[in-house]
Amino acid sequence: MKKMLIGLISDTHIPDRAKKIPRKVFDAFNDVDLILHAGDLTSLKVIEKLEKMAPVIAVQGNMDRVNGIYLPIAKVIEVEDLKIGIAHGEVYPRADTQQLVYLAKELNVDILVTGHSHQPKIEQSEGILLLNPGSPIVPRLADRTVMLLEIKNKEVDVEIIKIGAPVCSALDFDKYKRD
């Protein structure tokens, strides 16, 4: 059976935080069959650019709503009898495992792909695989990342792909001049 390779991305925030998707994202997604975007695109042009690589399924993030982009709140796809849910993951506290498990159970999925925290995460909880690809543009105290999800014969392999150095706008000390 052929493997299915899925590119996972979230929180691109284009054009409000970067002009374009970094070249390394396209390099990382070179062989993918499908791309899942977990929200906060902030421009539909992100989908157009990614669709040059592979079909894209995207969901709405909180900043998409702010920008008048109304995509589905959540989607569920099936790959080899595994149900994969995709949602932005607006849970509080941010990235809270228990809240994400509840969301996965609501969607009745085996794997849940979310964003929102801007931090990559691979976690197994209550038989559910929780994945967050982080952000290739504005990570929070983490590297700039995307993920690759490979499924073959119901075997799941996940890889975090680092596509750039860590950045944190909260640490921009030029904004806070001292006397």
Side-chain angles (χ1 to χ4, degrees):
M1 180 174 257
K2 182 188 178 301
K3 73 177 181 189
M4 174 86 161
L5 188 62
I6 304 171
L8 307 180
I9 189 169
S10 186
D11 299 288
T12 46
H13 291 276
I14 299 200
D16 52 314
R17 304 215 187 146
K19 288 182 177 66
K20 61 185 183 189
I21 300 168
R23 175 82 242 147
K24 287 184 178 181
V25 171
F26 295 101
D27 295 343
F29 288 174
N30 193 40
D31 296 321
V32 300
D33 302 299
L34 179 67
I35 297 170
L36 302 182
H37 195 304
D40 276 2
L41 302 87
T42 68
S43 167
L44 293 174
K45 287 190 166 86
V46 171
I47 295 174
E48 291 173 26
K49 296 284 187 205
L50 291 173
E51 278 183 335
K52 292 178 180 171
M53 304 290 299
V56 175
I57 296 173
V59 294
Q60 176 181 276
N62 54 303
M63 294 308 295
D64 295 324
R65 282 192 304 281
V66 168
N67 285 283
I69 297 170
Y70 295 98
L71 295 165
I73 298 294
K75 295 279 278 191
V76 176
I77 63 168
E78 203 165 310
V79 178
E80 288 191 29
D81 296 329
L82 289 173
K83 287 187 178 176
I84 302 170
I86 180 168
H88 190 51
E90 291 174 65
V91 297
Y92 300 93
R94 197 180 292 257
D96 181 68
T97 298
Q98 196 59 55
Q99 297 294 320
L100 293 172
V101 167
Y102 290 151
L103 177 56
K105 287 180 177 182
E106 281 178 16
L107 295 172
N108 191 27
V109 295
D110 305 296
I111 300 169
L112 180 63
V113 178
T114 59
H116 195 52
S117 72
H118 296 222
Q119 295 175 318
K121 175 175 167 173
I122 300 170
E123 186 174 356
Q124 184 99 29
S125 183
E126 296 185 37
I128 297 164
L129 182 59
L130 302 173
L131 301 176
N132 186 323
S135 172
I137 306 290
V138 280
R140 285 199 180 102
L141 301 173
D143 291 323
R144 298 173 194 225
T145 55
V146 294
M147 266 184 194
L148 291 177
L149 169 62
E150 182 179 289
I151 301 172
K152 184 175 182 177
N153 300 326
K154 283 195 180 179
E155 290 287 316
V156 174
D157 191 22
V158 183
E159 182 181 0
I160 296 172
I161 308 288
K162 181 178 168 182
I163 61 143
V167 294
C168 182
S169 60
L171 300 178
D172 182 0
F173 290 108
D174 287 343
K175 288 196 280 190
Y176 308 103
K177 296 277 186 226
R178 299 194 189 281
D179 295 333

